[in-house]
Amino acid sequence: MNKEELQAALEAISKSGVTVKGDLVIEKKVEYEVANVENGGIGIQINNGKNVPLTVTDKDIKATLEALLRLKDEKDKLLFKNKKQWWAVYRVLSTFCHYPQQMTSFKTKITDMEIDYGGNPNVITYDSLTDAPKTVPLMACSPSAWDTLKDKSDNYKQQYDVAEFLMLKLGIKS
């Protein structure tokens, strides 16, 4: 959007009776470009749709989580091996699938789904959500960018593997 188009849009907004105080955010979806631009207090976000929350049913998410809790790695060990990995589930679902941002509400929603853990002892708890960022603090960015982080510790890998599985299964990442 060039300066003239922006000015025309602002004039149209003001003529419609809408008053803008503070920042005005405009979102435009395009196919292959992602960028953030801020200029003079006006934010323009170009989004390719990958970070737009998905419309996935709770039934689909429940089935995906049940599959995740049973999934084994190449050494025949559970991929979901500790409670702190619920952090990755929380980040993916709250970022991409309209799940609650508040951890207590998220934990309640997951508990209410009555997930069949299939013998996996790593049941979600509030502490499992709050403790994980302390061990892997760099993972505060979007889960879709976790593969670019420099931290390749075991704690990081455990979170990344869960997020990667969910994003692939839910169609967030191809």
Side-chain angles (χ1 to χ4, degrees), residues 62-72 116 165 169:
K62 179 181 178 183
T64 302
L65 291 176
E66 289 174 345
L68 170 65
L69 290 164
R70 290 172 176 75
L71 186 66
K72 297 201 175 179
D116 177 2
F165 175 84
K169 288 292 185 188

Side-chain angles (χ1 to χ4, degrees), residues 59-120:
K59 184 179 176 182
D60 294 334
I61 290 172
K62 179 181 178 183
T64 302
L65 291 176
E66 289 174 345
L68 170 65
L69 290 164
R70 290 172 176 75
L71 186 66
K72 297 201 175 179
D73 64 15
E74 62 278 349
K75 296 178 184 174
D76 205 33
K77 303 277 186 194
L78 287 172
L79 181 74
F80 201 98
K81 55 183 102 184
N82 72 61
K83 289 182 180 184
K84 290 182 183 178
Q85 287 173 291
W86 279 105
W87 169 252
V89 174
Y90 162 73
R91 289 301 311 279
V92 169
L93 297 181
S94 64
T95 302
F96 300 107
C97 300
H98 298 292
Y99 270 57
Q101 296 282 328
Q102 186 182 29
M103 289 182 192
T104 52
S105 299
F106 179 84
K107 187 247 179 225
T108 300
K109 184 164 179 80
I110 296 297
T111 302
D112 289 348
M113 293 173 99
E114 298 180 357
I115 293 171
D116 177 2
Y117 284 79
N120 190 322

Side-chain angles (χ1 to χ4, degrees), residues 133-145:
K134 296 171 190 167
T135 57
V136 191
L138 294 175
M139 297 185 96
C141 63
S142 173
S144 61

Side-chain angles (χ1 to χ4, degrees), residues 6 8 30 33 56 73 78 83 90 107 114 131 152 168 172:
L6 183 58
V30 297
E33 184 177 355
V56 180
D73 64 15
L78 287 172
K83 289 182 180 184
Y90 162 73
K107 187 247 179 225
E114 298 180 357
D131 288 347
K152 302 299 181 197
L168 289 170
I172 299 164

